[in-house]
Amino acid sequence: MSAGRRLARLGLLVAVGLILNLIERRLPPLIPVPGVRLGFANLATMLALGLGSPREAILVWLARFLLASLLGGSLLGPGFWVGAAGGTSAWLAMTGVVLHSGGLERAGPGGRRPAFGAVGLSLAGATAHHVGQIAVAACITGQAEVFALLPLLLAAALPVGLLTGWLASLLLRRLHGAGFVRTLPPWAAPLRGWDLALASAVTIVAALTWPGGPMQHQESAVARVSVGGRTTAELSLARDGEYRVEAPEGSLLIEVHHGAVRVVQSGCDDQLCVHSGWVRTPGRMIVCAPNRVVILVVGEKAGVDAILR
């Protein structure tokens, strides 16, 4: 393929990924952490892997990610680094699957049957994407408790990985049938045996680590407020009130009412912590990454009404 056609293909894939990313940004956030997305834009990266190479895939992702961050106003902010970690982790995972599934060779009639198909490739990327996101979010906030959000993301990775992988396989096979692609990558088949094994493993991990606890009102629950990894307030959910907590990007106004807690005001730009609404169940949390604030609902702690440090 000529350099001009390759450049045009890369530009088209960047445009596809950018459009999908901007659509994702308009959807309600899955969890209250800036930069954490479902990952449908990964379709463009998968197509770059199928039509080109891992090098082209990383170029497509990097160009799409930088443009989306610039247009979304999150360049070099907390959400930028969370998204960068997720995208890099996804690319590394998918590159590993591609190499395991026959390297960069194309599948011929007598070629060996690869272990993973498009669904497995997509699911590996989605899983690594969420693990990388949460790891960096935990570093930014200084709170390892943020990893409690990972089971929710792993559960979301299953349908997203399935849909994205199926779409990538469908598009590659349609392009091949129309004569635009001479040969398909070894993983272009939609589903292989190891795809099911990987999906089962992700399901088991998500189920075993899923935060439990009843959803009803708990008089003894406490909202533990941490800034930069240091606990600065412990608020009893049994006592209504409003509390102001100082943070790097300005103060947060926190309200406790009828056994639940929420953020009423925050100085951060994205306002995800405000949009998170009320939380009341032990193990649930509100995250304000720009302020490095985590509000975690924990179980019984006798004798606490409100302690501000």
Side-chain angles (χ1 to χ4, degrees), residues 128-219:
H129 181 80
H130 293 319
V131 172
Q133 287 179 323
I134 288 297
V136 171
C139 291
I140 291 175
T141 60
Q143 288 288 299
E145 287 85 354
V146 174
F147 277 100
L149 298 170
L150 186 57
L152 175 62
L153 290 174
L154 292 180
L158 290 167
V160 172
L162 174 64
L163 178 59
T164 304
W166 178 79
L167 285 174
S169 174
L170 177 64
L171 290 173
L172 287 172
R173 287 183 286 122
R174 289 290 178 88
L175 289 173
H176 180 259
F180 292 104
V181 179
R182 291 184 179 180
T183 54
L184 292 172
W187 51 265
L191 194 64
R192 298 290 191 192
W194 278 97
D195 298 352
L196 298 177
L198 179 58
S200 299
V202 173
T203 302
I204 292 172
V205 172
L208 292 177
T209 57
W210 193 270
M215 297 296 294
Q216 71 269 17
H217 169 77
Q218 298 197 17
E219 293 288 346

Side-chain angles (χ1 to χ4, degrees), residues 20 31 39 70 84 86 98 103 105 107 129 131 146 151 155 158 174 191 201 205 251 256 264 268 288:
L20 291 174
I31 63 172
L70 183 62
V98 165
E105 300 175 356
H129 181 80
V131 172
V146 174
L158 290 167
R174 289 290 178 88
L191 194 64
V205 172
S251 62
V256 175
V264 180
C268 61
C288 182

Side-chain angles (χ1 to χ4, degrees), residues 42 53 57 97 124 206 236 265:
N42 194 45
S53 66
V97 171
S236 172
Q265 296 176 358

